[in-house]
Amino acid sequence: MKQTTIGITGHRDIVQTFQLKQDIKQLFMNLYKKEEEVRLLSPLADGADRLVADIYLEVFKDKAHLIVPMPFDQERYMEDFDKKSKEEFLEYLKIAKSVIEVENTQGCNYKSVGVYVADKSDILLALWDGTFNAKSGGTGDIVAYAREEGKEVVHFQCERASK
């Protein structure tokens, strides 16, 4: 069976425009038509990770195969979320096919999970403003790593709410 694994890297503070949502949905619709199984690797942080997960789950419905790699154990990771975000995260975990605590191999837990997602993906979706800010484990860092490794990176240009 043909299987494609999509990974996500992106900002937590992206501006979620109608066009961005439509572009992501169109990518997933195209994959839905031509692939037998499409898996999504998403750490489910706020922002880009959850936007992509929501669209993926909408398109693939009962064929969805959500995998959640986490930079820490669940209890520690959830410390990064506010109350509402924690509740949403727990709802996602109920439908996830697997949850993985990624070993810190990069000296930074967030970089380690980003590298893991890039390594395990056939296609890495980058919801990103295009800025390389030298932040270890940041979106630009993970995009640079994926490109160095020869991974297919699909870049969705995004504005950031915090700019």
Side-chain angles (χ1 to χ4, degrees), residues 3 10 21 27-28 59 69 80 85 110 128-129 136 147 152 163:
Q3 174 186 302
K21 292 175 184 178
L27 180 138
F28 282 138
V59 170
D80 291 354
S85 182
Y110 285 102
W128 175 47
D129 65 3
S136 182
R147 287 179 175 162
E152 180 179 349
K163 281 195 172 180

Side-chain angles (χ1 to χ4, degrees), residues 6 12-13 21 25 32 38 41 46 50 61 63 65 70 78-79 90 98 100-101 115 117-119 129-130 133-134 149:
I6 306 295
R12 290 182 182 220
D13 61 347
K21 292 175 184 178
K25 186 173 184 174
Y32 184 87
V38 177
L41 269 172
D46 291 319
R50 293 190 187 180
K61 296 179 181 69
K63 292 172 60 174
H65 191 113
M70 299 185 302
M78 288 177 57
E79 290 175 10
L90 292 172
S98 60
I100 303 156
E101 182 184 341
V115 165
V117 169
D119 284 345
D129 65 3
N133 61 9
E149 295 297 309

Side-chain angles (χ1 to χ4, degrees), residues 9 110-115 118 124 137-147:
T9 187
Y110 285 102
K111 181 167 185 166
S112 296
V113 80
V115 165
L124 182 68
T139 304
D141 190 26
I142 301 306
V143 168
Y145 169 81
R147 287 179 175 162

